[in-house]
């Protein structure tokens, strides 16, 4: 059973940085697209960034380009999300998800994600 487990969420001051981690247990070759999403209270879940694990190809939604960085450590079955210049509007539950994409350009937040973590909370104060 593939199970993502997130960590690294915290309460931070605006302008700071955080690095979230997601370790995938039960990893399989059928989970080649890993992603980060977030959901704030009263808002819909928002896709942020994905990474195609076979090539390390990242994808970012336009709104996070330049501030968010997704990366992977394949040896540890772990992906990371670094967030810089944190803003209060970044406050949300951050989720990691594992899924499959046929090729790198299909690994984006609209890909089929079957396995979700429980989330890690990020709170940014002004």
């Amino acid at each position: 059973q593939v199970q993502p487990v997130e960590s690294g969420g915290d309460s931070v001051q605006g302008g700071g940085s955080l690095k979230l981690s997601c370790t995938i247990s039960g990893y399989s070759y059928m989970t080649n697209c890993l992603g980060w999403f977030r959901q704030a209270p009263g808002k819909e879940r928002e896709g942020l960034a994905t990474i195609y694990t076979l090539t390390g190809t990242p994808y970012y939604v336009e709104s996070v380009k330049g501030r968010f960085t997704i990366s992977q450590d394949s040896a540890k079955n772990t992906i990371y999300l670094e967030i810089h210049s944190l803003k209060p509007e970044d406050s949300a539950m951050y989720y990691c998800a594992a899924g499959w994409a046929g090729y790198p350009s299909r690994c984006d937040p609209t890909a089929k994600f079957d396995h979700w973590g429980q989330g890690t909370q990020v709170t940014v104060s002004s």
Side-chain angles (χ1 to χ4, degrees):
Q1 178 70 19
V2 175
Q3 181 61 58
V5 178
E6 306 93 337
S7 61
D10 204 352
S11 295
V12 296
Q13 287 272 350
S17 298
L18 272 181
K19 186 174 184 177
L20 309 181
S21 301
C22 174
T23 299
I24 316 289
S25 62
Y27 193 80
S28 97
Y29 74 97
M30 289 298 293
T31 53
N32 63 3
C33 180
L34 305 178
W36 284 100
F37 299 76
R38 69 184 179 189
Q39 187 167 21
K43 295 189 176 181
E44 291 189 358
R45 187 174 64 203
E46 175 186 17
L48 303 171
T50 58
I51 189 163
Y52 188 72
T53 60
L54 298 179
T55 59
T57 305
Y59 173 92
Y60 300 95
V61 298
E62 194 64 34
S63 60
V64 306
K65 285 181 180 178
R67 284 201 308 127
F68 289 35
T69 303
I70 190 170
S71 60
Q72 66 175 351
D73 184 335
S74 300
K76 296 180 179 180
N77 289 341
T78 298
I79 64 169
Y80 305 95
L81 184 71
E82 292 182 79
I83 312 172
H84 301 287
S85 302
L86 279 157
K87 307 173 184 179
E89 51 263 44
D90 292 321
S91 298
M93 187 70 79
Y94 283 69
Y95 297 93
C96 173
W100 186 84
Y103 36 91
S105 63
R106 291 299 303 273
C107 180
D108 64 31
T110 67
K112 188 174 184 297
F113 292 95
D114 295 318
H115 310 283
W116 293 81
Q118 295 296 308
T120 187
Q121 179 69 40
V122 173
T123 303
V124 184
S125 57
S126 55

